[in-house]
């Protein structure tokens, strides 16, 4: 009986997140996608909105730290999504951070 209630609670959380997705910044997107991964409870509508929001933020020049990028990539891989535009945007951010990497810092 506890499992169906837990799934119902996750569905409620996903619906609330979907309603507020435009308020999410890179850090919140990363946290949300990791919650989805850890629960292994995916919602296609939410993940599509999450990908769209990530793309908006990537295009706006918002700051994605390495953890944010990795969490989003984990989510894409875990649920086997191939959003090419998001993948390219995240890859370009990774390439930029590699170029800026200083092993002595």
């Amino acid at each position: 009986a506890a499992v169906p209630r837990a799934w119902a609670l996750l569905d409620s959380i996903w619906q609330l997140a979907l309603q507020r997705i435009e308020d999410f910044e890179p850090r919140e997107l990363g946290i949300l996608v990791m919650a989805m991964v850890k629960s292994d409870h995916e919602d296609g509508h939410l993940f599509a909105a999450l990908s769209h929001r990530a793309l908006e933020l990537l295009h706006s020049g918002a700051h994605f730290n390495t953890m944010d990028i990795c969490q989003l990539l984990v989510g894409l891989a875990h649920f086997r999504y191939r959003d090419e535009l998001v993948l390219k945007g995240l890859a370009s951010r990774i390439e930029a951070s590699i170029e800026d990497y200083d092993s002595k810092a």
Side-chain angles (χ1 to χ4, degrees):
V3 173
R5 285 193 299 248
W7 288 124
L9 178 60
L10 283 174
D11 284 334
S12 295
I13 292 168
W14 294 170
Q15 288 306 309
L16 290 170
L18 186 57
Q19 292 171 15
R20 305 272 323 260
I21 199 75
E22 292 300 318
D23 297 331
F24 284 36
E25 295 296 323
R27 184 74 196 121
E28 291 83 16
L29 292 178
I31 291 168
L32 177 61
V33 79
M34 289 311 296
M36 295 174 80
V37 167
K38 288 182 182 248
S39 69
D40 200 28
H41 188 67
E42 179 264 347
D43 178 292
H45 294 295
L46 178 57
F47 211 94
L50 188 147
S51 292
H52 178 75
R53 179 66 179 150
L55 195 57
E56 285 179 338
L57 291 167
L58 287 163
H59 286 205
S60 75
H63 175 71
F64 282 76
N65 66 33
T66 306
M67 177 80 72
D68 304 330
I69 294 168
C70 290
Q71 288 174 328
L72 291 170
L73 289 172
V74 164
L76 288 166
H78 181 81
F79 294 116
R80 297 185 177 166
Y81 283 107
R82 293 192 46 90
D83 187 325
E84 295 296 326
L85 293 175
V86 173
L87 288 169
K88 286 178 183 178
L90 294 171
S92 70
R93 295 294 176 96
I94 291 170
E95 290 169 357
S97 47
I98 289 172
E99 290 173 7
D100 295 339
Y101 179 71
D102 180 1
S103 63
K104 298 181 186 200

XYZ file of all heavy atoms in Angstrom:
833
model
N 0.820 -1.202 0.000
C 0.000 0.000 0.000
C 0.859 1.259 0.000
O 0.452 2.268 -0.515
C -0.936 -0.001 1.210
N 2.049 1.160 0.591
C 2.922 2.332 0.665
C 3.475 2.712 -0.705
O 3.627 3.892 -1.005
C 4.060 2.079 1.652
N 3.768 1.709 -1.536
C 4.354 1.985 -2.851
C 3.405 2.788 -3.744
O 3.815 3.798 -4.322
C 4.835 0.690 -3.531
C 5.273 0.945 -4.960
C 5.978 0.066 -2.728
N 2.133 2.391 -3.869
C 1.232 3.218 -4.692
C 1.115 4.661 -4.166
O 1.028 5.595 -4.957
C -0.107 2.494 -4.608
C 0.243 1.076 -4.308
C 1.477 1.148 -3.454
N 1.141 4.829 -2.860
C 1.079 6.198 -2.309
C 2.340 6.968 -2.647
O 2.280 8.169 -2.933
C 0.856 6.147 -0.794
C -0.571 5.772 -0.419
C -0.826 6.027 1.043
N 0.063 5.220 1.878
C -0.316 4.225 2.649
N -1.597 3.904 2.737
N 0.552 3.534 3.358
N 3.491 6.283 -2.609
C 4.753 6.952 -2.959
C 4.733 7.388 -4.422
O 5.145 8.500 -4.747
C 5.931 6.024 -2.682
N 4.246 6.512 -5.311
C 4.163 6.864 -6.729
C 3.186 8.025 -6.941
O 3.448 8.923 -7.742
C 3.743 5.672 -7.588
C 4.803 4.624 -7.738
C 4.674 3.312 -7.418
C 6.137 4.785 -8.231
N 5.856 2.652 -7.681
C 6.768 3.523 -8.178
C 6.863 5.865 -8.708
C 8.084 3.306 -8.589
C 8.177 5.661 -9.109
C 8.776 4.403 -9.049
N 2.086 8.008 -6.215
C 1.111 9.096 -6.325
C 1.728 10.409 -5.852
O 1.500 11.464 -6.457
C -0.150 8.771 -5.519
N 2.525 10.337 -4.796
C 3.197 11.536 -4.296
C 4.192 12.064 -5.331
O 4.238 13.263 -5.597
C 3.912 11.240 -2.975
C 4.707 12.394 -2.370
C 3.798 13.585 -2.073
C 5.421 11.938 -1.113
N 4.965 11.153 -5.937
C 5.898 11.577 -6.981
C 5.151 12.192 -8.159
O 5.578 13.210 -8.707
C 6.754 10.411 -7.453
C 7.898 10.015 -6.527
C 8.569 8.751 -7.036
C 8.903 11.143 -6.385
N 4.042 11.597 -8.555
C 3.242 12.176 -9.644
C 2.784 13.582 -9.290
O 2.808 14.485 -10.140
C 2.031 11.298 -9.957
C 2.401 10.052 -10.741
O 3.421 10.068 -11.457
O 1.660 9.055 -10.620
N 2.397 13.805 -8.053
C 1.977 15.142 -7.609
C 3.143 16.112 -7.657
O 2.995 17.264 -8.095
C 1.413 15.090 -6.191
O 0.234 14.331 -6.159
N 4.305 15.655 -7.221
C 5.497 16.510 -7.253
C 5.860 16.852 -8.686
O 6.170 18.003 -9.002
C 6.671 15.827 -6.519
C 6.368 15.746 -5.024
C 7.982 16.559 -6.773
C 7.310 14.853 -4.243
N 5.799 15.845 -9.571
C 6.123 16.107 -10.984
C 5.151 17.132 -11.584
O 5.554 17.997 -12.349
C 6.087 14.827 -11.800
C 7.094 13.745 -11.523
C 7.037 12.491 -12.045
C 8.271 13.757 -10.710
N 8.097 11.732 -11.587
C 8.877 12.489 -10.778
C 8.883 14.729 -9.911
C 10.052 12.166 -10.088
C 10.052 14.401 -9.214
C 10.623 13.155 -9.311
N 3.869 17.040 -11.232
C 2.885 17.985 -11.748
C 3.162 19.407 -11.247
O 3.042 20.376 -12.006
C 1.462 17.547 -11.382
C 0.981 16.344 -12.167
C 1.105 16.544 -13.666
O 0.658 17.547 -14.213
N 1.725 15.586 -14.346
N 3.521 19.522 -9.985
C 3.870 20.843 -9.432
C 5.114 21.401 -10.121
O 5.165 22.586 -10.451
C 4.097 20.764 -7.922
C 2.853 20.508 -7.083
C 3.239 20.207 -5.633
C 1.905 21.701 -7.157
N 6.106 20.545 -10.326
C 7.326 20.981 -11.011
C 7.012 21.428 -12.434
O 7.538 22.441 -12.905
C 8.361 19.861 -11.011
N 6.143 20.686 -13.101
C 5.761 21.040 -14.467
C 5.104 22.414 -14.517
O 5.373 23.217 -15.419
C 4.822 19.971 -15.027
C 4.418 20.079 -16.483
C 5.631 20.083 -17.397
C 3.497 18.928 -16.845
N 4.281 22.720 -13.544
C 3.613 24.019 -13.485
C 4.592 25.164 -13.246
O 4.332 26.295 -13.643
C 2.555 24.029 -12.386
C 1.379 23.130 -12.660
C 0.463 22.987 -11.457
O 0.528 23.745 -10.509
N -0.397 21.978 -11.494
N 5.726 24.891 -12.598
C 6.680 25.943 -12.235
C 8.000 25.847 -13.000
O 8.955 26.534 -12.650
C 6.990 25.860 -10.733
C 5.817 25.896 -9.794
C 5.376 27.279 -9.367
N 6.400 28.246 -9.143
C 6.884 28.613 -7.963
N 6.418 28.090 -6.865
N 7.806 29.547 -7.875
N 8.060 25.043 -14.037
C 9.322 24.767 -14.720
C 10.002 26.045 -15.219
O 11.224 26.132 -15.247
C 9.128 23.728 -15.854
C 10.464 23.090 -16.254
C 8.440 24.354 -17.054
C 10.977 22.098 -15.287
N 9.226 27.058 -15.580
C 9.814 28.311 -16.072
C 10.572 29.064 -14.986
O 11.379 29.941 -15.288
C 8.736 29.206 -16.690
C 8.159 28.652 -17.975
C 9.203 28.472 -19.078
O 10.063 29.355 -19.260
O 9.150 27.436 -19.765
N 10.338 28.728 -13.723
C 11.045 29.355 -12.613
C 12.368 28.662 -12.302
O 13.172 29.176 -11.531
C 10.187 29.338 -11.339
C 8.908 30.135 -11.484
O 8.892 31.106 -12.277
O 7.922 29.782 -10.823
N 12.589 27.500 -12.888
C 13.772 26.710 -12.562
C 15.004 27.275 -13.253
O 14.965 27.658 -14.419
C 13.581 25.257 -12.988
C 12.679 24.459 -12.079
C 11.576 25.017 -11.480
C 12.937 23.133 -11.837
C 10.748 24.277 -10.650
C 12.131 22.369 -11.016
C 11.032 22.951 -10.414
N 16.089 27.278 -12.509
C 17.405 27.647 -13.026
C 18.201 26.351 -13.190
O 17.719 25.269 -12.833
C 18.085 28.616 -12.052
C 17.364 29.961 -11.927
C 17.346 30.758 -13.219
O 18.350 30.728 -13.967
O 16.327 31.403 -13.505
N 19.427 26.416 -13.722
C 20.192 25.189 -13.955
C 20.306 24.273 -12.729
O 20.151 23.049 -12.854
C 21.562 25.698 -14.392
C 21.248 26.995 -15.069
C 20.133 27.584 -14.242
N 20.547 24.837 -11.568
C 20.704 24.011 -10.366
C 19.433 23.230 -10.051
O 19.473 22.037 -9.751
C 21.095 24.892 -9.175
C 21.359 24.116 -7.936
C 22.701 23.388 -8.059
N 22.789 22.348 -7.055
C 22.958 21.066 -7.316
N 23.086 20.658 -8.535
N 23.023 20.180 -6.362
N 18.284 23.907 -10.135
C 17.010 23.239 -9.853
C 16.700 22.166 -10.894
O 16.153 21.115 -10.548
C 15.865 24.247 -9.777
C 15.903 25.165 -8.585
C 16.810 26.368 -8.744
O 17.200 26.683 -9.884
O 17.151 26.980 -7.720
N 17.065 22.414 -12.142
C 16.859 21.393 -13.178
C 17.675 20.144 -12.863
O 17.188 19.023 -12.992
C 17.244 21.933 -14.556
C 16.356 23.033 -15.139
C 16.918 23.484 -16.485
C 14.926 22.586 -15.281
N 18.921 20.359 -12.434
C 19.781 19.234 -12.085
C 19.225 18.433 -10.916
O 19.217 17.197 -10.931
N 18.744 19.125 -9.901
C 18.162 18.448 -8.737
C 16.922 17.665 -9.145
O 16.737 16.515 -8.741
C 17.842 19.464 -7.624
C 19.144 20.021 -7.036
C 16.975 18.837 -6.535
C 18.951 21.226 -6.134
N 16.083 18.273 -9.948
C 14.861 17.607 -10.396
C 15.172 16.356 -11.207
O 14.585 15.299 -10.981
C 13.999 18.575 -11.208
C 12.723 18.004 -11.806
C 11.789 17.481 -10.722
C 12.023 19.071 -12.651
N 16.093 16.477 -12.146
C 16.398 15.311 -12.982
C 17.008 14.195 -12.146
O 16.727 13.011 -12.370
C 17.285 15.695 -14.191
C 18.737 15.859 -13.820
C 17.156 14.661 -15.298
N 17.806 14.526 -11.131
C 18.374 13.483 -10.281
C 17.300 12.828 -9.414
O 17.372 11.618 -9.151
C 19.507 14.035 -9.430
C 20.760 14.359 -10.245
S 21.321 13.033 -11.359
C 21.733 11.745 -10.184
N 16.308 13.591 -8.998
C 15.182 12.985 -8.266
C 14.452 11.996 -9.167
O 14.057 10.911 -8.724
C 14.231 14.059 -7.757
N 14.293 12.365 -10.429
C 13.642 11.464 -11.369
C 14.472 10.203 -11.577
O 13.947 9.086 -11.594
C 13.403 12.177 -12.702
C 12.414 13.333 -12.601
S 12.269 14.267 -14.134
C 11.167 13.201 -15.059
N 15.781 10.370 -11.713
C 16.673 9.225 -11.920
C 16.669 8.314 -10.701
O 16.516 7.100 -10.817
C 18.110 9.712 -12.242
C 19.114 8.574 -12.146
C 18.155 10.346 -13.630
N 16.845 8.908 -9.522
C 16.940 8.087 -8.308
C 15.642 7.341 -8.015
O 15.661 6.230 -7.503
C 17.367 8.936 -7.118
C 18.827 9.332 -7.217
C 19.277 10.124 -6.020
C 20.710 10.519 -6.211
N 21.605 9.868 -5.301
N 14.516 7.958 -8.342
C 13.238 7.278 -8.128
C 12.906 6.339 -9.281
O 12.011 5.507 -9.170
C 12.111 8.300 -7.962
O 11.860 8.973 -9.185
N 13.629 6.499 -10.393
C 13.357 5.764 -11.629
C 11.890 5.907 -12.023
O 11.256 4.989 -12.514
C 13.741 4.293 -11.499
C 13.921 3.631 -12.866
O 14.270 4.336 -13.824
O 13.705 2.413 -12.969
N 11.389 7.102 -11.775
C 9.978 7.410 -12.045
C 9.955 8.597 -13.008
O 10.069 9.737 -12.609
C 9.262 7.752 -10.736
C 7.783 7.896 -10.883
N 6.952 6.842 -11.189
C 6.984 8.983 -10.759
C 5.699 7.273 -11.253
N 5.697 8.565 -11.003
N 9.836 8.283 -14.273
C 9.940 9.281 -15.329
C 8.557 9.740 -15.775
O 7.612 8.973 -15.770
C 10.721 8.645 -16.486
C 10.914 9.524 -17.678
C 9.877 9.284 -18.743
O 9.155 8.283 -18.689
O 9.765 10.136 -19.625
N 8.487 11.006 -16.112
C 7.262 11.586 -16.664
C 7.663 12.264 -17.968
O 8.429 13.232 -17.952
C 6.673 12.590 -15.664
C 5.429 13.266 -16.184
O 5.547 14.056 -17.150
O 4.346 13.019 -15.638
N 7.165 11.746 -19.073
C 7.555 12.265 -20.383
C 7.266 13.735 -20.580
O 8.081 14.459 -21.145
N 6.121 14.209 -20.094
C 5.769 15.624 -20.247
C 6.731 16.496 -19.447
O 7.193 17.538 -19.931
C 4.333 15.892 -19.785
C 3.304 15.224 -20.639
N 3.106 15.554 -21.954
C 2.424 14.234 -20.360
C 2.152 14.803 -22.458
N 1.715 13.990 -21.508
N 7.030 16.076 -18.234
C 7.943 16.852 -17.396
C 9.339 16.847 -17.991
O 9.997 17.885 -18.046
C 7.967 16.306 -15.970
C 8.934 17.005 -15.008
C 8.652 18.505 -14.924
C 8.868 16.370 -13.630
N 9.794 15.697 -18.477
C 11.140 15.649 -19.032
C 11.234 16.500 -20.300
O 12.243 17.159 -20.530
C 11.586 14.219 -19.302
C 13.071 14.049 -19.136
C 13.595 13.632 -17.933
C 13.940 14.346 -20.168
C 14.957 13.504 -17.755
C 15.297 14.225 -20.004
C 15.817 13.795 -18.801
N 10.199 16.518 -21.094
C 10.189 17.368 -22.291
C 10.257 18.839 -21.887
O 11.000 19.629 -22.487
C 8.943 17.097 -23.117
N 9.481 19.223 -20.860
C 9.505 20.610 -20.376
C 10.864 20.942 -19.773
O 11.389 22.048 -19.965
C 8.397 20.831 -19.352
N 11.448 19.992 -19.069
C 12.764 20.181 -18.467
C 13.811 20.404 -19.562
O 14.641 21.310 -19.463
C 13.088 18.937 -17.639
C 14.309 18.946 -16.769
C 14.029 18.106 -15.532
C 15.514 18.436 -17.476
N 13.762 19.601 -20.615
C 14.691 19.755 -21.737
C 14.505 21.108 -22.415
O 15.478 21.787 -22.752
C 14.498 18.641 -22.764
O 14.902 17.418 -22.239
N 13.254 21.500 -22.598
C 12.961 22.790 -23.216
C 13.515 23.934 -22.354
O 14.130 24.872 -22.872
C 11.457 22.951 -23.417
C 11.072 24.265 -23.996
N 11.249 24.575 -25.326
C 10.535 25.371 -23.413
C 10.839 25.812 -25.545
N 10.402 26.311 -24.403
N 13.299 23.845 -21.042
C 13.803 24.881 -20.139
C 15.331 24.917 -20.147
O 15.932 25.992 -20.159
C 13.280 24.652 -18.715
C 13.783 25.662 -17.714
C 13.269 27.049 -18.007
N 13.755 27.989 -17.011
C 13.991 29.268 -17.235
N 13.739 29.786 -18.428
N 14.440 30.042 -16.285
N 15.968 23.751 -20.165
C 17.430 23.695 -20.228
C 17.929 24.381 -21.493
O 18.893 25.165 -21.450
C 17.922 22.256 -20.170
N 17.256 24.131 -22.600
C 17.646 24.753 -23.865
C 17.476 26.268 -23.806
O 18.340 27.020 -24.274
C 16.837 24.145 -25.010
C 17.328 24.390 -26.412
C 18.758 23.917 -26.587
C 16.420 23.687 -27.411
N 16.370 26.726 -23.228
C 16.175 28.172 -23.051
C 17.314 28.783 -22.252
O 17.846 29.836 -22.617
C 14.867 28.456 -22.308
C 13.613 28.293 -23.096
C 12.369 28.578 -22.260
O 12.410 28.511 -21.011
O 11.340 28.862 -22.889
N 17.671 28.122 -21.162
C 18.737 28.642 -20.306
C 20.090 28.593 -21.005
O 20.896 29.526 -20.866
C 18.785 27.873 -18.981
C 17.596 28.110 -18.057
C 17.581 27.079 -16.929
C 17.622 29.529 -17.491
N 20.338 27.538 -21.758
C 21.590 27.449 -22.511
C 21.692 28.585 -23.523
O 22.748 29.204 -23.659
C 21.691 26.085 -23.217
C 21.985 24.893 -22.324
C 21.656 23.588 -23.040
C 23.439 24.911 -21.862
N 20.607 28.877 -24.201
C 20.602 29.946 -25.208
C 20.692 31.335 -24.577
O 21.186 32.261 -25.213
C 19.358 29.845 -26.085
C 19.438 28.720 -27.065
N 18.744 28.691 -28.237
C 20.120 27.554 -27.039
C 19.005 27.581 -28.897
N 19.827 26.868 -28.178
N 20.203 31.462 -23.354
C 20.224 32.776 -22.696
C 21.585 33.085 -22.080
O 21.813 34.197 -21.621
C 19.151 32.855 -21.606
O 19.550 32.105 -20.470
N 22.467 32.087 -22.052
C 23.784 32.292 -21.458
C 23.822 32.068 -19.958
O 24.794 32.433 -19.299
N 22.778 31.476 -19.402
C 22.752 31.198 -17.961
C 23.948 30.324 -17.583
O 24.433 29.533 -18.388
C 21.453 30.484 -17.586
N 24.395 30.471 -16.348
C 25.554 29.710 -15.874
C 25.149 28.295 -15.460
O 24.308 28.119 -14.587
C 26.218 30.415 -14.688
C 27.333 29.609 -14.102
N 28.528 29.438 -14.770
C 27.429 28.907 -12.954
C 29.311 28.662 -14.034
N 28.669 28.323 -12.931
N 25.736 27.318 -16.130
C 25.587 25.912 -15.777
C 26.931 25.466 -15.223
O 27.929 25.507 -15.947
C 25.281 25.053 -17.013
C 23.866 25.104 -17.489
C 23.384 26.200 -18.177
C 23.020 24.029 -17.272
C 22.082 26.240 -18.639
C 21.705 24.058 -17.728
C 21.237 25.164 -18.407
N 26.976 25.068 -13.954
C 28.254 24.555 -13.466
C 28.389 23.101 -13.904
O 27.473 22.505 -14.467
C 28.411 24.750 -11.950
C 27.448 23.938 -11.125
O 27.071 22.829 -11.492
N 27.032 24.478 -10.000
N 29.547 22.531 -13.649
C 29.827 21.174 -14.095
C 28.827 20.170 -13.529
O 28.388 19.252 -14.225
C 31.268 20.783 -13.703
O 32.156 21.781 -14.210
C 31.657 19.448 -14.281
N 28.447 20.349 -12.268
C 27.483 19.437 -11.639
C 26.139 19.504 -12.359
O 25.531 18.466 -12.634
C 27.296 19.788 -10.170
C 26.270 18.937 -9.462
S 26.863 17.330 -8.972
C 27.929 17.787 -7.650
N 25.669 20.702 -12.681
C 24.393 20.853 -13.391
C 24.430 20.095 -14.719
O 23.490 19.371 -15.068
C 24.091 22.324 -13.687
C 24.091 23.213 -12.466
O 23.769 22.728 -11.373
O 24.429 24.414 -12.621
N 25.515 20.280 -15.452
C 25.660 19.637 -16.763
C 25.658 18.121 -16.608
O 24.942 17.407 -17.322
C 26.945 20.118 -17.466
C 26.824 21.613 -17.807
C 27.235 19.290 -18.713
C 28.123 22.260 -18.236
N 26.436 17.633 -15.659
C 26.520 16.179 -15.452
C 25.174 15.597 -15.040
O 24.784 14.530 -15.528
C 27.579 15.861 -14.405
S 29.251 16.162 -14.997
N 24.460 16.277 -14.176
C 23.159 15.762 -13.741
C 22.189 15.692 -14.912
O 21.441 14.717 -15.052
C 22.600 16.620 -12.615
C 23.351 16.429 -11.318
C 22.899 17.366 -10.224
O 22.492 18.499 -10.472
N 22.988 16.895 -8.991
N 22.183 16.708 -15.748
C 21.297 16.683 -16.914
C 21.688 15.558 -17.878
O 20.825 14.853 -18.412
C 21.291 18.038 -17.613
C 20.609 19.153 -16.823
C 20.874 20.498 -17.469
C 19.118 18.904 -16.708
N 22.985 15.364 -18.079
C 23.436 14.283 -18.950
C 23.074 12.916 -18.379
O 22.683 12.011 -19.127
C 24.946 14.392 -19.186
C 25.386 15.558 -20.064
C 26.900 15.675 -20.065
C 24.842 15.429 -21.475
N 23.188 12.755 -17.067
C 22.794 11.501 -16.423
C 21.316 11.221 -16.689
O 20.933 10.101 -17.023
C 23.098 11.536 -14.907
C 22.363 10.425 -14.161
C 24.586 11.444 -14.656
N 20.478 12.246 -16.534
C 19.052 12.073 -16.775
C 18.744 11.707 -18.214
O 17.948 10.791 -18.482
N 19.388 12.387 -19.139
C 19.169 12.072 -20.551
C 19.573 10.631 -20.848
O 18.853 9.900 -21.529
C 19.953 13.046 -21.436
C 19.408 14.471 -21.498
C 20.441 15.416 -22.100
C 18.115 14.526 -22.284
N 20.720 10.216 -20.302
C 21.197 8.851 -20.545
C 20.303 7.815 -19.850
O 19.938 6.801 -20.452
C 22.640 8.717 -20.056
N 19.949 8.086 -18.608
C 19.166 7.121 -17.838
C 17.822 6.806 -18.504
O 17.412 5.654 -18.569
C 18.935 7.649 -16.422
C 18.155 6.716 -15.553
N 18.734 5.638 -14.919
C 16.839 6.673 -15.231
C 17.820 4.992 -14.232
N 16.653 5.595 -14.404
N 17.156 7.851 -18.977
C 15.846 7.651 -19.593
C 15.926 7.499 -21.118
O 14.911 7.456 -21.797
C 14.900 8.786 -19.201
C 14.580 8.794 -17.733
C 14.972 9.848 -16.928
C 13.908 7.727 -17.153
C 14.683 9.849 -15.567
C 13.620 7.718 -15.791
C 14.009 8.787 -15.000
N 17.158 7.460 -21.626
C 17.427 7.241 -23.050
C 16.784 8.275 -23.963
O 16.223 7.944 -25.013
C 17.021 5.831 -23.442
C 17.843 4.824 -22.682
C 17.605 3.452 -23.090
N 18.560 2.656 -22.289
C 18.502 1.377 -22.161
N 17.574 0.700 -22.758
N 19.388 0.741 -21.422
N 16.869 9.512 -23.526
C 16.394 10.612 -24.360
C 17.546 11.105 -25.217
O 18.671 11.194 -24.759
C 15.864 11.767 -23.505
C 14.499 11.510 -22.927
C 14.330 11.229 -21.584
C 13.372 11.559 -23.731
C 13.080 10.989 -21.047
C 12.112 11.321 -23.216
C 11.976 11.039 -21.866
O 10.747 10.800 -21.352
N 17.232 11.461 -26.449
C 18.252 11.977 -27.363
C 17.805 13.332 -27.900
O 17.506 13.467 -29.075
C 18.500 10.999 -28.494
C 19.149 9.707 -28.018
C 19.648 8.869 -29.150
N 20.386 9.603 -30.155
C 21.698 9.816 -30.142
N 22.424 9.358 -29.161
N 22.273 10.484 -31.111
N 17.766 14.299 -27.020
C 17.436 15.658 -27.430
C 18.723 16.286 -27.951
O 19.551 16.775 -27.181
C 16.868 16.441 -26.240
C 16.343 17.799 -26.647
O 16.934 18.421 -27.556
O 15.344 18.242 -26.056
N 18.891 16.231 -29.262
C 20.151 16.655 -29.880
C 20.507 18.103 -29.568
O 21.678 18.411 -29.356
C 20.105 16.428 -31.400
C 19.998 14.973 -31.799
C 21.202 14.132 -31.392
O 22.332 14.643 -31.387
O 20.993 12.951 -31.064
N 19.524 18.996 -29.551
C 19.827 20.401 -29.273
C 20.346 20.586 -27.851
O 21.308 21.329 -27.626
C 18.589 21.268 -29.506
C 18.121 21.372 -30.952
C 16.811 22.157 -31.038
C 19.194 22.021 -31.820
N 19.737 19.915 -26.899
C 20.197 20.005 -25.511
C 21.575 19.367 -25.386
O 22.475 19.936 -24.743
C 19.195 19.365 -24.537
C 19.758 19.312 -23.126
C 17.880 20.130 -24.549
N 21.760 18.206 -25.998
C 23.063 17.552 -25.941
C 24.167 18.428 -26.526
O 25.251 18.544 -25.944
C 23.024 16.204 -26.672
C 22.262 15.094 -25.968
C 22.073 13.898 -26.900
C 22.973 14.668 -24.696
N 23.900 19.064 -27.655
C 24.892 19.951 -28.268
C 25.180 21.154 -27.378
O 26.324 21.572 -27.236
C 24.422 20.406 -29.650
C 24.514 19.333 -30.695
C 24.003 19.813 -32.043
C 24.036 18.672 -33.043
N 23.507 19.057 -34.339
N 24.132 21.724 -26.779
C 24.319 22.861 -25.886
C 25.136 22.496 -24.664
O 26.043 23.247 -24.253
N 24.843 21.346 -24.067
C 25.607 20.896 -22.903
C 27.043 20.570 -23.295
O 27.983 20.890 -22.560
C 24.932 19.693 -22.251
C 23.563 19.959 -21.608
C 22.912 18.645 -21.192
C 23.679 20.907 -20.435
N 27.217 19.951 -24.460
C 28.570 19.622 -24.931
C 29.403 20.882 -25.131
O 30.586 20.908 -24.758
C 28.494 18.820 -26.230
N 28.798 21.927 -25.655
C 29.560 23.164 -25.864
C 29.976 23.778 -24.539
O 31.069 24.340 -24.409
C 28.775 24.169 -26.708
O 27.690 24.687 -25.985
N 29.123 23.647 -23.511
C 29.485 24.148 -22.179
C 30.627 23.327 -21.585
O 31.514 23.859 -20.928
C 28.290 24.137 -21.242
C 27.166 25.077 -21.638
C 27.618 26.532 -21.538
N 26.593 27.425 -21.991
C 25.730 28.039 -21.194
N 25.774 27.856 -19.901
N 24.815 28.837 -21.696
N 30.595 22.021 -21.814
C 31.680 21.165 -21.319
C 32.984 21.520 -22.014
O 34.028 21.653 -21.371
C 31.340 19.672 -21.528
C 30.197 19.262 -20.607
C 32.570 18.792 -21.285
C 29.637 17.901 -20.908
N 32.927 21.700 -23.325
C 34.132 22.061 -24.076
C 34.712 23.375 -23.574
O 35.927 23.508 -23.414
C 33.817 22.158 -25.566
C 33.543 20.820 -26.206
C 32.985 20.924 -27.613
O 32.742 22.057 -28.095
O 32.784 19.863 -28.223
N 33.852 24.333 -23.295
C 34.328 25.628 -22.787
C 34.987 25.461 -21.428
O 36.026 26.084 -21.155
C 33.168 26.620 -22.708
N 34.424 24.629 -20.559
C 35.016 24.477 -19.238
C 36.329 23.700 -19.301
O 37.221 23.932 -18.505
C 34.063 23.874 -18.225
O 33.399 22.784 -18.681
N 36.467 22.793 -20.278
C 37.739 22.081 -20.449
C 38.813 23.068 -20.888
O 39.937 23.023 -20.391
C 37.589 20.912 -21.446
C 36.759 19.810 -20.797
C 38.952 20.383 -21.894
C 36.382 18.690 -21.745
N 38.458 23.976 -21.790
C 39.427 24.964 -22.264
C 39.870 25.887 -21.130
O 41.008 26.335 -21.093
C 38.822 25.773 -23.405
C 38.647 24.978 -24.671
C 37.899 25.735 -25.756
O 37.620 26.936 -25.586
O 37.571 25.101 -26.763
N 38.977 26.156 -20.189
C 39.287 27.042 -19.068
C 39.929 26.323 -17.899
O 40.322 26.941 -16.926
C 38.011 27.744 -18.557
C 37.428 28.682 -19.592
O 38.174 29.099 -20.507
O 36.224 28.988 -19.480
N 40.039 24.987 -17.974
C 40.537 24.187 -16.856
C 41.994 24.529 -16.565
O 42.828 24.605 -17.457
C 40.400 22.707 -17.162
C 40.921 21.824 -16.066
C 40.243 21.706 -14.860
C 42.112 21.123 -16.212
C 40.716 20.901 -13.834
C 42.588 20.312 -15.202
C 41.885 20.219 -14.006
O 42.366 19.433 -13.000
N 42.293 24.732 -15.288
C 43.642 24.999 -14.837
C 43.968 23.965 -13.761
O 43.413 24.022 -12.656
C 43.747 26.422 -14.275
C 45.134 26.765 -13.785
O 46.041 25.918 -13.884
O 45.318 27.884 -13.287
N 44.865 23.046 -14.062
C 45.172 21.971 -13.122
C 45.844 22.480 -11.851
O 45.860 21.797 -10.844
C 46.066 20.929 -13.787
O 47.306 21.502 -14.142
N 46.378 23.690 -11.890
C 47.045 24.252 -10.712
C 46.112 25.059 -9.840
O 46.492 25.495 -8.767
C 48.225 25.087 -11.148
C 49.257 24.256 -11.869
C 50.441 25.050 -12.284
C 51.319 24.118 -13.116
N 52.657 24.530 -13.232
N 44.883 25.254 -10.291
C 43.931 26.066 -9.517
C 43.305 25.260 -8.409
O 43.268 24.095 -8.367
C 42.849 26.607 -10.443
